Amino acid sequence: MIAAEVFDRHRGRLNAVAYRVLGRVGDVEDVVQDTWLRWSTVDPATVEDPEAYLVRVTTRLAIDRLRSAQARREHYVGPWLPEPMLTTPDVAERVALADSVSTAMLLVLESLSPLERAVFVLREAFGYSHAEIAGFVGKSEISVRQTAVRARAHVEAHRVRYDTDLATRTEVTERFLAACAGGDLRELIAVLAPGVELVSDGGGLAPAPRKVIVGLELVARALLTFAGRLPDAPSIRLEQVNGGPAIVVYSAGTPSTAVVLHLVDGLVQSIHLMTNPTKLNGLTA
């Protein structure tokens, strides 16, 4: 089998690993392309396990890219959110897989070191053994076990258990959208939790609050103000984004805003609002 065929067979897995490690669609494309360039110089017949080889290369490239990205984020304007990405409906139906790619989980993973994040992703999202991961990251199996335990404990301590029922999330997202579109403050407050928070990422390139907003009234009024400033004749759709329903606003066919809601007990606890135009490429079908 030729190199391109082998690579294409594993491309989906490589994209999935790189995205969960990096949280940036553009970086994922670069890492997978670099993996291909390295693979194209290898005779596939000499590689006993092509998947292991490709995942190892992708993981190490992603770790290096993440270290560089974290240094750049120290100068980022306002809150930073992972880049949203369109996903297929079947991802949303598989709860464990959807959770591993949710913007809430990706945000928690930001607090891990690049190595911890890679080990956590490979172990928890893809089920690789500690021995396999050791080969991927170039560490001993004992070291990987310790890193995996440390990373999992950190994630468990910082994550919020958001609602996963797809029907409930879709219903609340639709009610949220209707209230914002209609400028109905009362209806909007009805779907928000008392301690709701709004995290907006404009990156200094698009209108967005540069601090997290917390509380029913403040969040609701900020949302209605934002909705009133949308471009003329926008196209607003419910899309499957990061394993669940999300609101995506398109202007002249180009995504300009993405809103992802995270629910607790049927109410919106956290809102991720993305307007940075450089981080919306993953929403282009």
Side-chain angles (χ1 to χ4, degrees), residues 77-236:
V77 177
W80 184 95
L81 288 173
E83 291 185 17
M85 180 179 66
L86 293 176
T87 48
T88 56
D90 64 302
V91 171
E93 292 165 3
R94 289 178 285 170
V95 175
L97 187 58
D99 181 63
S100 74
V101 78
S102 73
T103 58
M105 173 58 80
L106 293 174
L107 196 56
V108 171
L109 295 184
E110 281 298 306
S111 57
L112 296 174
S113 73
L115 177 62
E116 288 172 336
R117 181 167 180 168
V119 169
F120 181 87
V121 163
L122 293 167
R123 180 64 179 163
E124 301 297 328
F126 297 98
Y128 288 112
S129 69
H130 293 111
E132 289 173 311
I133 297 171
F136 296 158
V137 301
K139 301 290 183 180
S140 70
E141 185 175 346
I142 293 177
S143 175
V144 164
R145 285 181 180 276
Q146 294 172 339
T147 300
V149 169
R150 186 168 62 250
R152 180 165 187 166
H154 181 90
V155 170
E156 290 301 317
H158 290 82
R159 72 186 300 189
V160 177
R161 295 288 181 177
Y162 292 113
D163 295 352
T164 58
D165 181 71
L166 187 58
T168 300
R169 295 182 64 192
T170 301
E171 177 191 357
V172 173
T173 301
E174 291 172 343
R175 289 174 58 196
F176 176 95
L177 175 57
C180 288
D184 193 328
L185 181 63
R186 180 176 298 181
E187 285 299 313
L188 182 55
I189 287 178
V191 300
L192 303 180
V196 62
E197 66 172 19
L198 171 62
V199 184
S200 304
D201 183 343
L205 301 175
R210 295 191 177 184
K211 293 183 179 180
V212 176
I213 299 175
V214 180
L216 279 172
E217 289 279 347
L218 291 176
V219 168
R221 293 188 183 281
L223 288 168
L224 293 182
T225 298
F226 181 85
R229 295 175 179 172
L230 290 177
D232 292 336
S235 173
I236 303 176

Side-chain angles (χ1 to χ4, degrees), residues 2-44:
I2 63 174
E5 292 176 342
V6 176
F7 188 83
D8 285 342
R9 184 196 301 169
H10 299 290
R11 184 186 294 272
R13 170 61 58 98
L14 304 182
N15 278 309
V17 169
Y19 179 69
R20 285 163 176 79
V21 173
L22 290 163
R24 285 182 57 90
V25 175
D27 283 349
V28 170
E29 294 171 350
D30 290 342
V31 162
V32 173
Q33 179 62 23
D34 286 347
T35 300
W36 158 248
L37 291 176
R38 298 192 183 195
W39 174 251
S40 65
T41 66
V42 175
D43 179 0

Side-chain angles (χ1 to χ4, degrees), residues 19 25 82-86 103 241-242 258 260 274 279-280 282-283:
Y19 179 69
V25 175
E83 291 185 17
M85 180 179 66
L86 293 176
T103 58
V241 174
N242 291 80
V260 180
M274 173 67 69
K279 299 175 72 171
L280 294 171
L283 301 179

